[in-house]
Amino acid sequence: MPTYVTLLSWTDQGVRNYKDTAERSEAFGAAVQKLGAKLLSIYWTVGPYDLVATIEAPDDETATAALLQLGGVGNVHSTTLRAFGPEEMERIIAKAAG
């Protein structure tokens, strides 16, 4: 399944609700699972982003739906990157090499 790395920044609302962040991450994991995806990891970070999450989803549409649900709650803004594992990268290299 494709993997997505999501960089999350708290909104003003998210900062005000910081005490609930661990519970919110559990709720996000459950919501992602209902869509057929999986929250692989979530980390709270120091720096330009407040959290980093990795998600596995069957396709871009499912990943986007999960992140729209997350953003719709109003606690975070997200930037999402499609990540490629070693096997996927080998296939990409083979295609590029012709």
Side-chain angles (χ1 to χ4, degrees), residues 57-70:
D59 50 48
D60 291 347
E61 292 83 2
T62 303
T64 302
L67 294 164
L68 282 172
Q69 284 183 351
L70 176 65

Side-chain angles (χ1 to χ4, degrees), residues 46-81:
V46 175
Y49 297 98
D50 299 305
L51 301 99
V52 176
T54 54
I55 300 164
E56 216 174 50
D59 50 48
D60 291 347
E61 292 83 2
T62 303
T64 302
L67 294 164
L68 282 172
Q69 284 183 351
L70 176 65
V73 176
N75 292 306
V76 293
H77 294 291
S78 65
T79 300
T80 302
L81 310 164

Side-chain angles (χ1 to χ4, degrees), residues 6 8 25 39-46 49-54:
T6 303
L8 302 158
S25 72
L39 177 61
L40 298 175
S41 65
I42 189 161
Y43 296 96
W44 287 260
T45 58
V46 175
Y49 297 98
D50 299 305
L51 301 99
V52 176
T54 54

Side-chain angles (χ1 to χ4, degrees), residues 21-39:
T21 188
E23 291 172 20
R24 290 196 314 260
S25 72
E26 290 175 17
F28 176 58
V32 165
Q33 198 164 26
K34 287 181 184 176
L35 293 172
K38 183 178 181 183
L39 177 61

Side-chain angles (χ1 to χ4, degrees), residues 12-32:
D12 290 341
Q13 173 183 309
V15 172
R16 283 192 305 272
N17 297 324
Y18 74 91
K19 291 180 183 179
D20 300 329
T21 188
E23 291 172 20
R24 290 196 314 260
S25 72
E26 290 175 17
F28 176 58
V32 165

